Amino acid sequence: MKFVEEVVVEEFLPTFRSMLAEALRERGLTQHEVAEALGISQSAVSKYAHGDVSRREEVLDDERVGDLVERVADGLATGDMSRVQALVEAEVLVRRLEEGDLLARLHEEAMPELADYDGYVRIHDPESGLRTSEQVRSSLRRALRRLTNASGFAGLIPNVGSNLVECLPEAAGVDDVAGVPGRIFDVKGRATVPADPEFGVSEHVAGVLLSAREAGSDARAALNVRYDSGIVADLEAAGYDAVEFDPDAPTDPIRESIAERGPESLSATFVCYQTGGYGIEPITYVLGPDADAVVTAVKTLLER
């Protein structure tokens, strides 16, 4: 794990300071004056002058960095610019370079995982999409750990496999829903999760969740398990409302059934189920405000 601030300190700052020290020396400042202007030791200035500090080519070649070095060097050398202003100018450029620019690319080089996202975002931004996406995936990991550690869950997995999904707050499509790639399967009596949660990998259970949300539900997570009347009855006995739908209905059966029931009348975690049809396996879906709440509901079936 490498922070973008580390990239600034390790990759950008040594090169920027060496360029600025060189520019100030060219303007006639002594080594002592350069050290005072930059707030560093004279030995550090000496290292810069003798090329003892490695410099990043990408920073050296960036015209904006070069322009700022020249402008700051002129200002500090003439006294027209204070050290505070010089710092502010440098900070402004650093923030610009962090946002999908030079420092973002260097950060992606150090953390290749960041390249998996559609465009780099400032990961220290509390409102960033990256932060929210990772929170959803983290929620799924915790819930999956609870689920797969629960004795007997494998017996609830239908023939088509199970999937546990959770969506972003403003989910608009399958790509906004994270789930288990390849689904959860019963392998010799053990629930097996083949891979880490990803977005856009579940069409079926994600589609059920999105349909429920289109009907007005606030649910953000869902899990499918096998159907039998006892499972639905046990969930209802535990306080979870249940809605039946017809999988052969011509329109979106889940959306229509929930809308007809009235989403505001349903418990926060609730059940949708269908009893099967021609070529359709009967399935029970548990939906709730997050993956943990869904797993809590399913675990009541294992404590019967």
Side-chain angles (χ1 to χ4, degrees):
M1 180 171 64
K2 197 178 189 74
F3 294 93
V4 67
E5 289 82 3
E6 292 179 87
V7 174
V8 174
V9 171
E10 297 170 7
E11 306 291 344
F12 176 82
L13 196 53
T15 303
F16 178 73
R17 276 180 168 162
S18 70
M19 294 170 68
L20 189 51
E22 185 177 69
L24 289 170
R25 290 286 283 160
E26 289 174 352
R27 285 161 175 74
L29 273 69
T30 65
Q31 189 167 289
H32 174 72
E33 290 171 331
V34 172
E36 281 198 335
L38 300 185
I40 58 178
S41 65
Q42 290 191 52
S43 62
V45 175
S46 178
K47 287 181 180 179
Y48 290 144
H50 290 90
D52 295 335
V53 175
S54 60
R55 307 205 295 186
R56 190 80 190 216
E57 289 297 326
E58 294 92 334
V59 179
L60 282 169
D61 295 340
D62 193 287
E63 291 185 3
R64 295 161 300 178
V65 177
D67 290 344
L68 178 62
V69 165
E70 293 299 313
R71 186 155 49 87
V72 170
D74 283 339
L76 291 176
T78 61
D80 292 340
M81 183 182 292
S82 69
R83 289 177 57 194
V84 171
Q85 184 183 351
L87 176 63
V88 170
E89 295 293 336
E91 285 279 3
V92 168
L93 179 60
V94 166
R95 299 304 159 229
R96 283 178 56 198
L97 297 181
E98 283 181 355
E99 297 184 29
D101 211 306
L102 172 63
L103 291 175
R105 293 194 295 274
L106 295 181
H107 195 194
E108 287 181 0
E109 181 180 312
M111 284 282 295
E113 301 93 324
L114 292 171
D116 294 338
Y117 294 88
D118 183 18
Y120 183 86
V121 295
R122 294 175 63 188
I123 63 174
H124 55 273
D125 180 356
E127 302 301 323
S128 75
L130 176 56
R131 183 171 188 256
T132 304
S133 297
E134 286 303 300
Q135 286 173 334
V136 168
R137 295 178 71 198
S138 179
S139 173
L140 278 174
R141 291 187 192 103
R142 289 193 301 269
L144 284 166
R145 190 162 54 248
R146 288 185 63 207
L147 193 63
T148 55
N149 287 338
S151 176
F153 172 67
L156 292 175
I157 298 175
N159 293 329
V160 295
S162 290
N163 210 330
L164 178 64
V165 303
E166 185 169 326
C167 69
L168 297 172
E170 304 299 328
V174 171
D175 288 341
D176 297 323
V177 185
V180 177
R183 302 185 185 177
I184 307 165
F185 286 102
D186 174 4
V187 179
K188 296 181 178 180
R190 183 177 181 81
T192 302
V193 177
D196 198 44
E198 296 178 14
F199 281 86
V201 297
S202 170
E203 291 188 9
H204 179 64
V205 182
V208 169
L209 176 60
L210 291 169
S211 290
R213 290 174 60 82
E214 287 175 9
S217 170
D218 292 328
R220 285 188 52 196
L223 170 68
N224 66 317
V225 296
R226 65 181 179 82
Y227 167 81
D228 70 45
S229 58
I231 285 176
V232 174
D234 285 342
L235 287 168
E236 286 185 299
Y240 302 109
D241 291 325
V243 179
E244 183 177 4
F245 66 94
D246 179 2
D248 291 320
T251 56
D252 187 326
I254 294 175
R255 184 183 63 204
E256 297 301 326
S257 296
I258 292 176
E260 183 178 348
R261 170 69 178 266
E264 68 284 348
S265 69
L266 294 172
S267 48
T269 301
F270 63 97
V271 179
C272 285
Y273 69 96
Q274 50 90 355
T275 59
Y278 182 74
I280 300 174
E281 181 182 9
I283 297 287
T284 305
Y285 302 92
V286 181
L287 298 92
D290 55 43
D292 191 64
V294 168
V295 170
T296 295
V298 171
K299 287 188 69 174
T300 64
L301 298 171
L302 306 176
E303 297 164 358
R304 295 181 290 177

